[in-house]
Every structure is written in structure tokens, then in C-alpha cells.
Amino acid sequence: RNSGITIQSANYVTISGITVAYSILENINVGTSTSNNTLERITSLGSYKGVQLNCNMCTLKQSNFQGALAYGAVSDGYRVTISDNTFNNVGNVGITPEVTPLTLIISGNKGVIRNNKLTNSGYIGIAFDGSNHLIQGNRVDNYCLKLGDCGGIYTWALDENNTDGGTIIDSNVISNAFVVLDGLPPLDNAPWMKEQGEGIYLDDRRHHITVTNNTVYNVSKGIFIHNGHNNVIRGNTVFNARQIAFAIQQDWVSAGYVRDNIVEDNFFHALEVPVAYYNYSEDRFDFGVYNNNRFCEAEPDNAVQLYTTASPKTTYHLEKWQKKSGQDTDSTVLSENCRKKVGSYVTSLKAL
């Protein structure tokens, strides 16, 4: 059967405590023109897609999804809540790199994704579009296992005039993005995708997103704003980023599009450079306001890296960066002991 269970034109239905396995398209489909339906304590095995929720004010909770070929749960509706679920091996079994599997994706408006645990994802952990969602308290571990250009939490918009905004990404723990394509290291298969396993990835043209109090480690870039504006990055902890802990980049958008981002009160540690600002289309780097951040440098005098069309890629120690930019006036570089503390912090988080 294409769908194991289908709900159409029905409201206030509860499905509880059952196992649905190996349907052709999705194990459970809650269709449009439905509302206030609840799926709880479901076990979903295999299938191309675990659950499709195209309903309003529906709930998916306390369920277990194992081995979906492409999608764990897909939601497109108003005030959908997805909470306290476990997703494992989504898009990581029997899938080819041409498919872009997403463990959990939410569209629509005012959705809630809270306290879910996602492990061993072939591609993206949590993806969203639409507006005014709350993504909070989730654990995303071991992802980007099949494809690069990927994030533990990821979003993207089609054009510069999109009006989607207002989503809050708060208090999530994201770790261990290891990009492997078809079982081969990225350099052997797709050099342009090398190490693009990001933690929180606000991709092209996303704006008015608030990212607070998240912990990100063992990734390529910790938090990455790519062609975005009016985003808030506050109170986050990023460490053991293999490239950069935090980056803003502008390339193929209109002049001046990347602007008015706020980056403050964060802890940034990376194995190459803590923070980078890249502009491949203009000679400017005034992407917003940056202050009260703490830098844990991999090498001395290696706090911020800058590139614009008029200057080569250059790395600055904090004092020189402050003088050049007028930014980070109250930010600090921590002592060498910060790198030792990072190691013990990683050890403690592995128990989560």
C-alpha cells in the first residue's frame, strides 16, 4: 500500500500505541482539511516517509521512527506540534546521494518542534520554512552522513522578497556532522562539498531568525548565516568546529542584502579560526553588530578572518580587528586554558 494509515476530512482523531511498517510512500498520512488530530506512541519502521502531517493544530508525540528512506516526519500546517519523538537512521539506509533526505521538516506557521532526539541522519536533521516556529530543546547527533552542504538545523528561502521570519531556535544540542558521500571522503567524490556539515545553517535569504542558547560541537561551521539579514545570534556555545565557529557570508544576493545581524554573548572555539566574515560580491563587511563574544583561539592572534572583493583573506587578532571594524569592543580572547576546558566539556556532553 502507498500509505499504511490515512486520515482525510476527519478531526479530533487519536492514533495511539501501534506499529506501522514498510509502506510504499508513507506509513501514516494525515491529510489536508483535517485538524486537532493526535499521533502518539507510534512506532514507524522503514517506508519512504514515516509520517506526513498536512493538518492544522495536530500533534505528533512520544513516537519512534526507524530507518525511513528519505523523511522521518514532514509537516505543513498551522500550529503543528512535534515533540518528544526519536528519529534514527533516516535517509541513512538504502539511499543514494542524488536524494536529499530530511529527518524532520516543518513548513506552515507557528509550529513547535521540541525535545526530539535525532541520530544517524543521512542528510539534514531539522529543516524548516514558513514563519514563527519554535525549535527548542532538540538533540541532533551524527548527521550529514550521506550528503554535504547540510546542517543539523537548516533553513533556506527561494527569493529575497520572502516574508517568512520570526522562528526561534533555542536550547538545542547539535553535534557530530561528518560528511561522507557514498562511503568516500568528500575530497574523492565532490570537492566543492568538502566539510560542509554545519551546525545551525541559515542559508540563502533567511531573515529575522533568532538563535539563542544552543550548544554546537564537532561540526564544520558551528553557526552559519549565508546571505541573510536581521538575524539574532545570542548566548550560544560553539566548540570543536573543524573550520569556523561562526561565519557570515555574502555572495549572490543584491548589494547590501546581508545586514543588521546581531551577534553577541556567544562562546566561539574552532580548530581553524573562531569567526569569519566573507563578502564575495562587495568591498564591505558591515553585516551587523558584534559584541560581548568570547573567542577561544586555535592559534594565538587568530580571532577573526575577513575577506572582501578588495582585500585578500586575512586573519586578525582581536585588538587589530576591533580597531579595523569598530566591532567586538567588549569581546575577549580567553587564555590558552580554554582549549583544555573544551576537551572536558566535550567529554561531559557525550553522556547526553
Side-chain angles (χ1 to χ4, degrees), residues 9 207 312 327:
S9 302
H207 57 85
Q327 299 277 6

Side-chain angles (χ1 to χ4, degrees), residues 74-127:
V74 178
S75 168
D76 186 2
Y78 174 71
R79 291 191 182 276
V80 174
T81 298
I82 300 175
S83 65
D84 302 293
N85 303 286
T86 299
F87 299 86
N88 184 50
N89 269 333
V90 174
N92 196 34
V93 179
I95 206 76
T96 64
E98 288 74 23
V99 177
T100 53
L102 308 172
T103 298
L104 201 168
I105 180 168
I106 189 165
S107 301
N109 191 23
K110 295 187 177 180
V112 174
I113 298 179
R114 179 184 282 140
N115 296 337
N116 299 283
K117 184 175 183 180
L118 295 75
T119 54
N120 303 316
S121 300
Y123 189 44
I124 291 168
I126 298 171

Side-chain angles (χ1 to χ4, degrees), residues 149 156-158 160 192 196 201 203-205 226-227 249-255 257-258 279-282:
D149 197 14
W156 173 88
L158 182 62
E160 296 182 12
W192 64 274
Q196 285 189 274
Y201 191 174
D203 205 356
D204 288 311
R205 299 166 291 267
H226 182 212
N227 293 328
Q249 178 173 312
Q250 176 175 304
D251 38 48
W252 49 61
V253 289
S254 301
Y257 187 80
V258 180
N279 195 331
Y280 292 95
S281 57
E282 292 182 275

Side-chain angles (χ1 to χ4, degrees), residues 194-195 198 219-221 241-245 270-274:
K194 181 192 174 186
E195 281 297 333
E198 326 298 22
V219 298
S220 303
K221 299 182 194 71
R242 293 186 291 276
Q243 292 179 341
I244 302 164
L271 303 184
E272 293 185 8
V273 61

